Amino acid sequence: MSDTVRILHVLGGTALGGAESRIMDLYRQMDTKEIQFDFLVHSGAVKRAGDDASAREPQFYDEEIKAMGGHIYVLPKFKIYNYFAYRNAICSFFSKHHEFCVVQGHMTSTASIYLPIAKRYGIPITVAHSRSAGVDKGLKGIATKILRKNLYKKTDYCFACSELAGINAFGKKQVDDGKIKIIYNAIDAAKFAYQPEVRAMMRKRLKIEDKFVVGHVGRFSHPKNHPYLVEIFAKLCSMREDAVLLLLGDGPNRAKIEARCEEIGIRDKVLFMGNCKQPQEYYQAFDIFLLPSLYEGLPGVLVEAQAAGLRCLVSDTVTKEAQATELVTYMDIKQPASVWADEIMAQADYDRCVTYQEMVEGGLDIRKQAAAYRNFYLNGDSSQL
């Protein structure tokens, strides 16, 4: 019998996203002979719980997870009307799988369903981990709010990546009473540290050596506010001809944003890079980082941008815990796009520097956090987190 401690992370999927990337950063720090991560994800391609990922299209991190020895299990996607089928699938899964020491649910929209079931089937420790400070629009958002009611009573531990994310999932009183453990989204800060030679190489590869590069990293989805972002960039283009917008990520709204760029005459100045396996190299090529999100939990991309020594213009709706340096300027997304463009111009000229020590001191480097998680996973002690 293996002595390896197995931890089950419950997520929507293993695509390239903020929560997924932070979990993978943590996973890479683990000795997998001692602690192994497995993943329970959701897919519309399955009707009941499956024992592997073959029932769905492969996603960004699948190959790496399997190479590290992790398993990927699949549940049907929750669609409100299939509540009983979804619940039955979870019961079926945990009736067969008793090997996990901890079930950590990052998908808090349905955590009130799957975490109590996991506990009933003998899982020693359950965790609800809030990664976002908002909910989807419409019926899905309403359902999420209902299902999260009293979630803190249905799990052993409540984690959140920021105070706002904690309030969003568990309620202000629980946060004020200290019942929610706030754990910042840490990154491998050394990997993103500013490197002039990498910057020169990337800008040459992308043929933007003589350009002023505005960068953004994020999924093309409603919270990221891409329509406003491209309006800001369009205003900037009227101020300087050498401006280029570099967009990393993919998602359901990408085609709409491409069409909008065409419509307002900036398509030839916008580079859509899709999902990238080495995002740290692209940060080097940026001159300034833009994040006008409608809401965030604690955006890892903002942490990455600061680790890369970039000036960052960020929506004032973004959680303040993500600010580890003086490089961040918070701005109002209700202002005209031209106000943001003016601020980009005002901050365009600065000396890029290495900020690694500031990231460590701000608790945003993954190495120290990984040691605290190791203690939690092995001993159930959350005091160091």
Side-chain angles (χ1 to χ4, degrees):
M1 183 175 177
S2 173
D3 292 329
T4 303
V5 170
R6 301 200 79 93
I7 310 301
L8 184 69
H9 293 277
V10 185
L11 290 156
T14 51
L16 181 60
E20 295 85 352
S21 295
R22 300 293 74 80
I23 294 164
M24 292 303 296
D25 282 341
L26 181 63
Y27 192 8
R28 296 181 193 112
Q29 296 296 317
M30 295 293 143
D31 176 353
T32 55
K33 293 180 181 177
E34 179 183 56
I35 297 172
Q36 180 59 256
F37 285 4
D38 295 320
F39 297 80
L40 182 59
V41 301
H42 295 70
S43 172
V46 301
K47 300 295 183 186
R48 51 189 175 274
D51 283 343
D52 58 47
S54 62
R56 85 205 210 290
E57 288 294 319
Q59 294 189 329
F60 189 85
Y61 286 118
D62 283 15
E63 187 177 328
E64 183 178 1
I65 289 168
K66 291 177 181 179
M68 293 175 71
H71 299 143
I72 301 171
Y73 305 100
V74 187
L75 284 175
K77 186 175 288 187
F78 181 67
K79 297 180 180 178
I80 304 174
Y81 65 81
N82 69 338
Y83 173 87
F84 292 105
Y86 180 74
R87 190 176 183 282
N88 289 339
I90 295 167
C91 288
S92 175
F93 176 80
F94 284 110
S95 70
K96 299 172 186 174
H97 293 277
H98 307 281
E99 66 268 32
F100 309 115
C101 295
V102 178
V103 173
Q104 191 165 348
H106 308 273
M107 190 173 173
T108 56
S109 57
T110 56
S112 63
I113 304 173
Y114 61 77
L115 289 180
I117 291 172
K119 195 72 177 178
R120 189 184 316 149
Y121 279 98
I123 300 300
I125 296 174
T126 60
V127 181
H129 196 150
S130 177
R131 297 278 188 172
S132 176
V135 297
D136 291 329
K137 295 186 295 183
L139 187 59
K140 186 177 180 182
I142 295 170
T144 295
K145 290 179 180 179
I146 294 171
L147 286 169
R148 281 177 174 171
K149 186 175 177 60
N150 294 328
L151 174 57
Y152 70 95
K153 294 181 178 180
K154 301 171 183 177
T155 183
D156 296 319
Y157 292 89
C158 297
F159 294 169
C161 64
S162 67
E163 184 174 308
L164 281 178
I167 293 170
N168 181 53
F170 306 111
K172 189 174 188 305
K173 186 177 188 304
Q174 310 313 316
V175 172
D176 290 345
D177 289 349
K179 294 181 180 179
I180 313 304
K181 176 77 71 171
I182 306 299
I183 306 170
Y184 296 157
N185 286 338
I187 66 164
D188 186 349
K191 189 168 70 173
F192 288 85
Y194 177 51
Q195 301 176 67
E197 64 280 7
V198 176
R199 172 180 169 82
M201 178 269 291
M202 286 300 296
R203 289 171 73 93
K204 184 176 181 180
R205 181 193 300 176
L206 296 169
K207 299 179 181 178
I208 53 173
E209 297 103 310
D210 58 346
K211 303 297 183 182
F212 178 75
V213 183
V214 177
H216 174 81
V217 181
R219 190 167 185 265
F220 284 81
S221 59
H222 173 69
K224 301 302 180 183
N225 204 14
H226 282 89
Y228 186 63
L229 189 154
V230 298
E231 296 298 331
I232 294 169
F233 180 69
K235 295 294 184 184
L236 179 66
C237 287
S238 68
M239 300 177 185
R240 55 185 304 167
E241 294 181 359
D242 63 341
V244 168
L245 177 61
L246 200 56
L247 298 175
L248 272 65
D250 213 334
N253 294 343
R254 175 171 169 171
K256 291 181 181 178
I257 298 304
E258 290 193 38
R260 180 57 180 160
C261 289
E262 191 75 48
E263 184 181 326
I264 60 179
I266 60 170
R267 182 62 185 86
D268 62 330
K269 292 177 172 286
V270 183
L271 300 179
F272 290 83
M273 306 308 302
N275 290 332
C276 303
K277 288 186 178 293
Q278 301 291 335
Q280 66 271 20
E281 295 182 346
Y282 289 87
Y283 282 97
Q284 303 298 324
F286 298 167
D287 290 303
I288 204 154
F289 184 76
L290 209 55
L291 191 70
S293 301
L294 298 174
Y295 59 84
E296 296 275 0
L298 189 146
V301 293
L302 177 55
V303 179
E304 291 170 353
Q306 292 174 86
L310 286 164
R311 287 277 178 92
C312 306
L313 269 61
V314 182
S315 166
D316 60 7
T317 59
V318 170
T319 45
K320 303 303 184 288
E321 292 101 324
Q323 182 178 10
T325 69
E326 294 182 353
L327 294 167
V328 179
T329 299
Y330 287 95
M331 299 187 66
D332 186 353
I333 52 175
K334 294 179 182 177
Q335 291 180 315
S338 59
V339 175
W340 282 63
D342 287 338
E343 188 63 26
I344 292 173
M345 291 292 291
Q347 297 200 27
D349 186 20
Y350 66 99
D351 293 325
R352 194 100 165 248
C353 59
V354 175
T355 59
Y356 177 73
Q357 195 57 41
E358 290 174 85
M359 308 310 292
V360 173
E361 291 171 1
L364 295 168
D365 182 62
I366 193 63
R367 287 163 182 79
K368 182 177 180 181
Q369 191 176 100
Y373 263 114
R374 176 183 178 273
N375 185 47
F376 175 64
Y377 291 146
L378 293 178
N379 305 310
D381 178 7
S382 67
S383 62
Q384 297 176 23
L385 287 168

